[in-house]
Amino acid sequence: MTSQSTINCIITGAGGFVGQALASALLEDPLVSKLTLTDVVEPSSPNRKGQSKVEVRCVKADLTSLETCQTLFTPDLNLIYILHGIMSGQAEANFELGLKVNLDSTRQILDLLRRTNPGVKVIYPSSTAVYGPPATPTTKITEGDTPVPGTSYGAQKHICETLLDDYSRRGFLDGRSLRLPTVTVRPGKPTGAASSFASGIFREPLNGEKAILPVSKDLEVWICSPRTVVKNLILARDIPKEKFPNTRIVNLPGITVTVNEMLEALKAVGGDEALKRVEEQRDEATEKIVLSWPTRFDVSRAKQLGFADDGPLERTLQEYLEDYGAKKQ
Amino acid sequence: MTSQSTINCIITGAGGFVGQALASALLEDPLVSKLTLTDVVEPSSPNRKGQSKVEVRCVKADLTSLETCQTLFTPDLNLIYILHGIMSGQAEANFELGLKVNLDSTRQILDLLRRTNPGVKVIYPSSTAVYGPPATPTTKITEGDTPVPGTSYGAQKHICETLLDDYSRRGFLDGRSLRLPTVTVRPGKPTGAASSFASGIFREPLNGEKAILPVSKDLEVWICSPRTVVKNLILARDIPKEKFPNTRIVNLPGITVTVNEMLEALKAVGGDEALKRVEEQRDEATEKIVLSWPTRFDVSRAKQLGFADDGPLERTLQEYLEDYGAKKQ
């Protein structure tokens, strides 16, 4: 076993919820020997469930600083997860900050890596926010459809995908850009993402608190559970690069649901009591961003590459209660 | 007339052939009052044909320097043409240079302009090199097809388009990104473009010199004449921004021809004598780049916006002789 433990991995944005869930999973992975977790606030080291012997290091770091990146991205790393970023709503409200973090700091890391760790595997979660609204709402989007981002967040993500694709084509890095659906149910507090409500309307009511619904109940969203996303982030590492002939970009699996269907699932799991805690309070800015994202995808490419399917929604809610429910928080 | 002469324009890369042809046209434009031409080598000021009263300034400048850009891009400018760049073949051979010039210097200019000249009109010639090879060679590409660049040049162009689109969506700038076909016939010397042969096999034989054909005669190319390109670069200025609802990106008109058809046109205009001066000498690196570009386009969007059609090829050759033939050079 020890001789196989050769993965020395870093996760940026590791204080975030996806970062923490990914770190938890990697701690149990016999292939992993070292794990560096970094974020603007020192991230916690997830609890170890089993006999994990992974060496974990948690580092507070500002990745917009070149010096900091030079210290962190050492040549012994062989697996990079770039999870840090300013989320969609905040990047729209604070353009300069989004540009600096989502574009410049990612670019800086890619440029550093291609010099110090040539050919290193870089897994970059992108977002379906790279797409603008589809021509017709029922169109199923594939990787063959042009991203016309309706937000700065989407534009910044698409630029990084394009860079990572070119660096991978040239053999500078071995990138994989995974366009994540909206991840729900996230634990913790609301985030700067315009899609934050998609977790809030489950999480708060299930925790006995009120939740604000800022969009129409007829609105559709394209979502994925945390467990499926983490599974796919790890699968991405193990798919041979030869399977990505022209581009490293993949739209990950998810499910399309209306807000009404989300509320029905909430009721099924949490009862009428939970449902009553959701209060409608439309917010135009949020709705405008969410409406700019397509919600129906044909994920044949992801399936062909071996990525895992998601759903159903009620199972996701049960998983949320298992992983993050009242007892766990 | 004087009261209407309100355009204060800068052209970067103005020493290049398209820049010079565009400057010539703008010199005759009654709306233009001032014209700054800049390039890494001091560009010439084109001869004035008519009664042009345009004030012309020619400036040698390295646009990778922030200080230089700050001096050049003054708040009184109200029309920006970003024509400078490292061409496809050279950007593939010298990655760092291409990245620095095609991406970083363009980004620097856009960021400077959005602060000092908010809302200024920026016309950015992009390229159909943003596209990789189409799924099938007969597919007609539209703006709805995903760019999957097969070259670093194409990736860098696509990143700048994406930035300019986002800056335009936010109202920081008023951009138009025009994806130019291969421009032929270019006067002067061969360039660093992989498509350089598409001018060379006309220009050299018509000037009594030998030309190298580095690709198969069956290969197709998507081309446009200099006169049409310049006409469209000026039309782009005059199309109201409201006509670009989601994106400022347009595939400009061109014509699809095989190398064989190009050689036939050469023979029709220059006779057997000219044709015999073309020597086949396949170059794999060039052919690989050229084959990565699609050659058939559906330009409905450009036509709807009012852009001009191109062709036929023999007329283009006659225009070349009129504009740049032996007597003129």
Side-chain angles (χ1 to χ4, degrees), chain A residues 91-92 95-96 99 104 107 114-115 143-146 148 150-152 158-159 166-167 169-170 172 246, chain B residues 92 95-96 99 104 107 114-115 143-146 148 150-152 158-159 166-167 169-170 172 246:
Chain A
E92 200 62 16
F95 175 76
E96 301 293 346
L99 195 66
D104 293 334
R107 159 87 186 275
R114 69 181 165 89
R115 294 191 177 104
E143 291 82 357
D145 289 291
T146 297
V148 182
T151 57
S152 294
H158 184 49
I159 289 172
D166 193 46
Y167 290 11
R169 183 186 61 80
R170 298 192 74 126
F172 296 161
N246 291 318
Chain B
E92 200 62 15
F95 175 76
E96 301 293 347
L99 196 65
D104 293 335
R107 158 86 185 274
R114 69 181 165 89
R115 295 191 178 104
E143 291 82 357
D145 289 290
T146 297
V148 182
T151 58
S152 294
H158 184 49
I159 288 172
D166 193 46
Y167 290 12
R169 183 186 63 78
R170 297 191 74 126
F172 296 160
N246 291 317

Side-chain angles (χ1 to χ4, degrees), chain B:
Chain B
M1 178 92 73
T2 314
S3 64
Q4 294 177 325
S5 303
T6 53
I7 294 180
N8 183 354
C9 171
I10 187 169
I11 304 175
T12 72
F17 129 77
V18 175
Q20 287 282 307
L22 175 62
S24 276
L26 292 177
L27 277 180
E28 312 307 317
D29 186 328
L31 293 175
V32 177
S33 64
K34 291 185 185 177
L35 187 56
T36 302
L37 306 179
T38 183
D39 211 322
V40 280
V41 171
E42 186 178 313
S44 12
S45 180
N47 293 331
R48 291 162 196 248
K49 287 173 198 152
Q51 297 295 311
S52 167
K53 290 186 175 158
V54 177
E55 189 184 315
V56 180
R57 197 168 61 114
C58 299
V59 187
K60 177 184 169 178
D62 172 6
L63 301 179
T64 65
S65 149
L66 177 60
E67 291 69 30
T68 303
C69 288
Q70 282 167 334
T71 312
L72 263 180
F73 292 91
T74 46
D76 53 326
L77 291 166
N78 54 21
L79 179 62
I80 321 285
Y81 281 99
I82 302 185
L83 266 59
H84 73 287
I86 302 296
M87 298 180 95
S88 53
Q90 203 187 346
E92 200 62 15
N94 189 341
F95 175 76
E96 301 293 347
L97 181 67
L99 196 65
K100 194 172 160 186
V101 175
N102 295 342
L103 175 49
D104 293 335
S105 104
T106 303
R107 158 86 185 274
Q108 179 169 274
I109 292 169
L110 299 182
D111 278 343
L112 190 62
L113 287 171
R114 69 181 165 89
R115 295 191 178 104
T116 58
N117 307 43
V120 75
K121 203 170 276 182
V122 177
I123 296 170
Y124 176 66
S126 183
S127 165
T128 51
V130 298
Y131 294 107
T136 59
T138 52
T139 307
K140 284 196 170 188
I141 300 289
T142 73
E143 291 82 357
D145 289 290
T146 297
V148 182
T151 58
S152 294
Y153 174 79
Q156 290 148 10
K157 284 285 181 187
H158 184 49
I159 288 172
C160 292
E161 293 175 345
T162 305
L163 270 180
L164 188 52
D165 247 21
D166 193 46
Y167 290 12
S168 299
R169 183 186 63 78
R170 297 191 74 126
F172 296 160
L173 298 173
D174 178 10
R176 285 115 171 83
S177 295
L178 314 177
R179 290 183 183 145
L180 266 53
T182 292
V183 184
T184 185
V185 184
R186 292 174 171 265
K189 301 279 173 200
T191 68
S195 58
S196 181
F197 77 88
S199 284
I201 61 170
F202 294 126
R203 182 185 56 224
E204 271 70 279
L206 290 174
N207 289 341
E209 293 162 26
K210 275 209 175 307
I212 301 294
L213 173 65
V215 300
S216 157
K217 287 182 181 173
D218 298 328
L219 191 140
E220 276 185 347
V221 283
W222 172 246
I223 59 174
C224 187
S225 74
R227 285 197 196 174
T228 305
V229 162
V230 168
K231 190 189 289 179
N232 283 332
L233 284 171
I234 294 175
L235 278 169
R237 177 192 79 186
D238 300 328
I239 299 169
K241 63 181 169 190
E242 291 70 26
K243 283 205 165 187
F244 299 84
N246 291 317
T247 169
R248 306 304 183 90
I249 300 170
V250 188
N251 292 332
L252 283 194
I255 58 172
T256 305
V257 292
T258 62
V259 171
N260 262 324
E261 286 165 343
M262 294 167 83
L263 295 174
E264 279 164 27
L266 173 64
K267 186 179 166 184
V269 173
D272 267 329
E273 205 179 333
L275 186 61
K276 280 180 191 160
R277 297 192 184 110
V278 179
E279 189 182 303
E280 282 185 75
Q281 200 176 299
R282 299 280 274 273
D283 178 74
E284 244 181 70
T286 300
E287 199 163 58
K288 194 181 160 201
I289 294 178
V290 177
L291 278 170
S292 82
W293 300 331
T295 59
R296 300 188 187 194
F297 288 81
D298 171 349
V299 293
S300 316
R301 179 169 156 85
K303 295 303 302 293
Q304 201 187 337
L305 286 165
F307 286 104
D309 259 333
D310 188 46
L313 189 50
E314 286 185 28
R315 191 182 73 199
T316 298
L317 295 192
Q318 294 295 355
E319 288 173 358
Y320 167 73
L321 290 172
E322 283 172 34
D323 294 345
Y324 304 103
K327 290 170 210 161
K328 303 267 178 172
Q329 283 195 327

Side-chain angles (χ1 to χ4, degrees), chain A residues 228-268:
Chain A
T228 305
V229 163
V230 168
K231 191 190 288 179
N232 284 331
L233 284 170
I234 294 175
L235 278 169
R237 176 191 80 185
D238 300 327
I239 299 169
K241 63 182 169 191
E242 292 70 26
K243 283 206 166 186
F244 299 85
N246 291 318
T247 169
R248 306 304 183 91
I249 300 171
V250 187
N251 293 332
L252 283 195
I255 59 171
T256 304
V257 292
T258 62
V259 171
N260 262 323
E261 287 165 340
M262 294 167 83
L263 295 174
E264 278 164 30
L266 173 63
K267 186 178 166 184

